[in-house]
């Protein structure tokens, strides 16, 4: 009867309809999410936790022990050197005293000879004098030689001292560089273990029976090409499926090709045999 | 909301900008189309009711000038008259005016009245069909907009998949779910629009057909009057 267009009413109704629908989605979403929380499958995200802790601990302890030993060695060498220096001084002192005694004895003998010669042979005076002169000459030469000897010894001592200082400096430098090298080496090892960790974790699909308290320890043996040559279960988790999954993960990787570029010494020390600990820690139950 | 679980809201809120934009467009289209649906429903219903009421009064044997005066009173009281009544009023007004003018033969009077009714008819039809093209557009286009959003969303999720070194379902699933929401919204907007469009265009056809029928009948009545009038005058 009327050309009633009713726009306000229509708009309100349309908004109401959409509001209701969105509201029901919201409520449904809430309910759904609660249900989902409960029914969530236990194994969704694999996490490899703390792999190879024993080996790393051993390594760190080894390093520390090495450093300690080096320090002790240095202290010992230092004390030895001091001891040697002391002995050397003592020896020099003794030598000097002996020389003085010899000198006195020689001088007394010379005087005696002279008296004897004066008493017995006057005619041979000239000869004797010449002799005496010659002897004096000799003693003087000896004196000079002795002085030279002392000088030489002093120089020797100085040189030894310098040598010692140089040695100490060189040793300190070597020690510092060794420490630095050890640090970078442990960093490199950590980087490689992270790579291994990552690869194994990616290939690890956990069975639904996995539980948080399970721990499986595997020993894997590698060759320098990165190939896994042997996998053995060192400690079982008690769940065969879990153990098998862990073993399969390592075998699935097959080859850690990233290890190829590693220095052989480091490989032998840290990666020839690895302990991997598999432990799902993020599970709900 | 729980962070670990997926629900519709978190998916919508975490969607990429393009997908969110598509969703916004679809939501607006849906709301507007529902406004149109409800408004057309009201308009067509009132037009139907007005039509049947007027037909009843028209065929009750009431005097036509009395009917015309009632309509004028109604319009003065700020109540608009219905579609069929408007056609009647336009035709009757033109008819009376031409007759009073004189000097116009009966064919001319009839032609004038029919022209006036045709004009009124087309105006009424236009009123009835208003907004129906919008519903048709929403019905046909929103699925495509939704598909566009879905394609973009899946594209994004595959791009993010390419960045991952390990493909898990968890990486792909949220992106695809988010993308599918866009399609769902497109369909949600399109289905009622298509249904309403089909329903309403049928209704408009029925009402317009009734109008044409009424126009012809009324023209017949006027023709009778024209045929009888010169006789009385002469």
């Amino acid at each position: 009867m009327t050309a009633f267009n009713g726009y306000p009413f229509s708009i309100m109704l349309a908004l109401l309809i959409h509001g209701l629908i969105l509201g029901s989605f919201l409520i449904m979403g809430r309910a759904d999410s609660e249900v989902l929380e409960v029914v969530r499958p236990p194994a969704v995200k694999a996490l490899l936790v703390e792999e190879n802790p024993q080996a790393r601990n051993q390594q760190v302890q080894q390093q520390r022990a090495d450093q300690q030993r080096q320090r002790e060695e240095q202290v010992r060498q230092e004390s030895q050197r001091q001891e040697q220096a002391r002995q050397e001084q003592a020896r020099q002192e003794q030598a000097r005293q002996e020389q003085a005694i010899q000198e006195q004895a020689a001088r007394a003998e010379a005087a005696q000879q002279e008296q004897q010669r004066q008493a017995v042979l006057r005619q041979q005076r000239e000869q004797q004098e010449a002799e005496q002169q010659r002897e004096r000459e000799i003693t003087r030469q000896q004196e000079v030689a002795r002085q030279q000897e002392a000088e030489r010894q002093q120089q020797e001592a100085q040189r030894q001292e310098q040598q010692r200082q140089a040695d100490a400096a060189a040793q300190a430098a070597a020690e510092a560089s060794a420490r630095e090298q050890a640090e970078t080496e442990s960093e490199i090892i950590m980087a490689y273990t992270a790579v291994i960790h990552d690869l194994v974790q990616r290939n690890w699909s956990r069975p639904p029976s996995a539980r948080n308290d399970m721990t499986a320890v595997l020993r894997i043996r590698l060759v320098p090409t990165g190939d896994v040559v042997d996998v053995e279960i060192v400690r079982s988790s008690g769940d065969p499926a879990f153990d098998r999954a862990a073993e399969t993960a390592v075998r699935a990787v097959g080859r850690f090709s990233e290890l190829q570029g590693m220095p052989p010494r480091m490989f032998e020390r840290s990666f020839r045999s690895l302990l991997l600990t598999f432990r799902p820690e993020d599970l709900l139950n | 909301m729980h962070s670990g679980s997926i629900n519709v809201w978190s998916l919508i809120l975490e969607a990429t900008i393009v997908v969110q934009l598509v969703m916004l467009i679809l939501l607006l289209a849906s709301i507007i189309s529902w406004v149109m649906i409800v408004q057309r429903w009201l308009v067509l219903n009132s037009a139907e009711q007005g039509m049947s009421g007027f037909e009843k009064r028209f065929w009750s044997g009431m005097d036509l000038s009395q009917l015309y005066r009632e309509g004028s009173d109604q319009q003065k009281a700020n109540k608009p008259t219905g579609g069929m009544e408007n056609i009647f009023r336009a035709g009757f007004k033109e008819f009376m005016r031409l007759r009073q003018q004189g000097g116009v033969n009966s064919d001319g009077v009839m032609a004038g009245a029919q022209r006036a009714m045709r004009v009124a008819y087309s105006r009424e039809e236009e009123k009835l069909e208003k907004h129906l093209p919008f519903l048709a557009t929403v019905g046909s286009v929103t699925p495509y907009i939704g598909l566009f959003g879905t394609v973009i969303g899946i594209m994004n999720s595959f791009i993010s998949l390419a960045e991952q070194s390990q493909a898990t379902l968890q990486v792909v699933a949220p992106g695809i779910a988010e993308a599918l929401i866009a399609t769902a919204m497109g369909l949600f907007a399109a289905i009622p629009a298509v249904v309403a469009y089909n329903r309403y265009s049928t209704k408009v056809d029925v009402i317009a057909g009734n109008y044409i029928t009424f126009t012809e009948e009324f023209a017949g009545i006027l023709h009778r009057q024209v045929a009888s009038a010169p006789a009385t005058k002469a």
Side-chain angles (χ1 to χ4, degrees):
Chain A
M1 265 171 273
T2 61
F4 169 61
N5 51 23
Y7 277 112
F9 175 71
S10 316
I11 291 168
M12 272 170 61
L13 202 63
L15 288 177
L16 189 70
I17 289 167
H18 285 85
L20 276 177
I21 290 164
L22 293 181
S24 68
F25 264 120
L26 186 68
I27 292 162
M28 258 165 55
R30 283 239 167 101
D32 276 358
S33 66
E34 274 158 22
V35 170
L36 276 177
E37 204 69 21
V38 177
V39 204
R40 211 168 82 142
V44 181
K45 198 170 158 194
L47 204 75
L48 182 61
V49 185
E50 210 184 334
E51 151 263 329
N52 209 2
Q54 293 95 331
R56 187 149 341 128
N57 280 348
Q58 278 175 3
Q59 203 180 338
V60 169
Q61 280 170 359
Q62 182 79 27
Q63 277 180 359
R64 273 200 208 119
D66 279 353
Q67 283 176 359
Q68 182 72 22
R69 216 177 304 130
Q70 277 181 354
R71 260 199 299 280
E72 278 170 8
E73 180 72 14
Q74 198 186 351
V75 168
R76 203 168 53 77
Q77 281 179 356
E78 186 67 27
S79 65
Q80 237 174 13
R81 224 177 289 127
Q82 283 172 355
E83 184 65 26
Q84 277 178 355
R86 249 201 315 279
Q87 282 176 357
E88 180 75 14
Q89 267 182 349
R91 218 180 305 127
Q92 282 178 359
E93 187 67 26
Q94 209 176 358
R96 219 175 290 128
Q97 282 174 358
E98 272 172 17
Q99 278 171 357
I101 290 165
Q102 279 178 357
E103 199 180 331
Q104 280 179 351
R107 224 180 280 130
E109 198 178 337
Q112 207 178 358
Q113 280 178 354
E114 197 182 348
Q115 279 176 354
Q116 279 178 354
R117 271 182 222 114
Q118 280 175 351
V120 178
L121 293 167
R122 272 195 172 175
Q123 346 165 272
Q124 292 176 352
R125 191 161 234 162
E126 279 178 4
Q127 288 178 355
Q128 276 177 351
E129 254 173 25
E131 182 97 7
Q132 277 175 352
Q133 266 185 347
R134 212 168 42 249
E135 265 184 33
R136 262 200 301 271
E137 186 69 23
I138 288 167
T139 53
R140 208 168 41 244
Q141 280 173 354
Q142 278 178 346
E143 184 70 23
V144 167
R146 221 176 290 125
Q147 277 176 355
Q148 281 175 349
E149 177 70 17
E151 240 169 67
R152 206 174 49 76
Q153 279 176 350
Q154 207 174 344
Q155 281 173 355
E156 181 71 19
Q158 271 179 358
R159 219 187 56 239
Q160 277 181 352
E161 181 63 26
Q162 281 172 354
Q163 178 85 29
R164 207 181 303 133
Q165 281 173 355
D167 277 356
Q171 195 165 7
E175 199 183 332
S177 75
R179 210 177 299 128
E180 204 172 300
Q181 200 185 347
E183 261 167 35
T184 55
E185 197 175 297
S186 73
E187 268 170 27
I188 293 167
I189 288 171
M190 257 154 78
Y192 278 117
T193 45
V195 167
I196 293 174
H197 185 126
D198 203 35
L199 280 170
V200 172
Q201 192 179 321
R202 273 190 213 164
N203 284 284
W204 186 26
S205 61
R206 290 184 301 186
S209 57
R211 294 293 175 270
N212 263 345
D213 51 352
M214 285 181 179
T215 306
V217 181
L218 267 70
R219 182 192 302 285
I220 64 173
R221 282 179 220 287
L222 303 173
V223 288
T225 57
D227 283 296
V228 178
V229 289
D230 186 31
V231 184
E232 72 176 306
I233 296 166
V234 179
R235 212 175 81 209
S236 167
S237 62
D239 179 22
F242 188 84
D243 295 348
R244 219 164 28 241
E247 200 180 328
T248 312
V250 177
R251 289 201 189 281
V253 176
R255 156 185 263 199
F256 298 97
S257 48
E258 283 82 356
L259 298 187
Q260 281 173 3
M262 170 183 280
R265 204 168 49 86
M266 198 191 290
F267 178 84
E268 291 299 333
R269 202 163 56 207
S270 308
F271 292 99
R272 171 67 75 182
S273 166
L274 279 176
L275 284 179
L276 289 180
T277 306
F278 289 76
R279 186 185 306 149
E281 274 195 340
D282 57 329
L283 295 182
L284 290 173
N285 46 358
Chain B
M1 249 172 265
H2 302 274
S3 56
S5 65
I6 286 173
N7 65 34
V8 177
W9 280 107
S10 59
L11 280 180
I12 291 172
L13 293 177
E14 286 159 20
T16 49
I17 292 293
V18 180
V19 178
Q20 276 181 341
L21 206 69
V22 165
M23 285 176 184
L24 189 69
I25 289 169
L26 291 175
L27 186 69
L28 286 179
S30 176
I31 288 174
I32 294 171
S33 77
W34 270 97
V35 169
M36 299 310 167
I37 288 168
V38 176
Q39 195 262 347
R40 277 302 94 183
W41 180 67
L42 292 173
V43 166
L44 294 179
N45 259 14
S46 76
E48 253 181 349
Q49 278 174 12
M51 188 178 73
S52 58
F54 179 76
E55 270 189 319
K56 221 173 270 168
R57 278 196 293 155
F58 185 81
W59 297 115
S60 64
M62 193 192 243
D63 184 34
L64 291 184
S65 46
Q66 172 72 23
L67 196 61
Y68 184 79
R69 243 178 281 120
E70 274 181 17
S72 301
D73 291 346
Q74 198 185 333
Q75 278 185 340
K76 268 176 203 153
N78 250 343
K79 279 188 201 161
T81 48
M84 197 179 258
E85 194 170 356
N86 283 345
I87 293 170
F88 159 74
R89 286 173 60 78
F92 191 73
K93 197 175 171 185
E94 189 66 20
F95 177 76
M96 294 306 284
R97 201 181 285 161
L98 286 172
R99 282 248 307 227
Q100 276 165 12
Q101 228 171 34
V104 185
N105 62 10
S106 60
D107 282 352
V109 171
M110 276 316 295
Q114 274 179 334
R115 200 180 306 120
M117 283 195 289
R118 256 202 313 279
V119 170
Y121 164 76
S122 57
R123 219 171 261 147
E124 288 306 314
E125 198 187 26
E126 195 184 317
K127 269 190 211 164
L128 290 176
E129 279 180 345
K130 201 176 163 191
H131 299 324
L132 286 189
F134 178 81
L135 286 181
T137 308
V138 167
S140 57
V141 166
T142 47
Y144 293 123
I145 298 176
L147 269 181
F148 172 71
T150 298
V151 169
I152 295 287
I154 289 183
M155 232 167 71
N156 281 337
S157 76
F158 274 111
I159 287 169
S160 70
L161 187 65
E163 285 162 3
Q164 297 271 323
S165 45
Q166 191 192 18
T168 60
L169 204 56
Q170 277 181 315
V171 180
V172 204
I176 291 179
E178 160 207 310
L180 289 177
I181 287 176
T183 304
M185 286 181 73
L187 294 178
F188 175 78
I191 292 170
V194 170
V195 170
Y197 175 74
N198 288 334
R199 173 115 184 77
Y200 292 164
S201 57
T202 318
K203 221 171 183 178
V204 167
D205 281 350
V206 169
I207 293 172
N210 279 348
Y211 284 179
I212 288 174
T213 315
F214 170 77
T215 308
E216 294 302 320
E217 284 169 343
F218 184 49
I221 290 168
L222 289 180
H223 193 75
R224 268 205 303 281
Q225 283 200 1
V226 172
S228 60
T232 53
K233 217 177 186 179

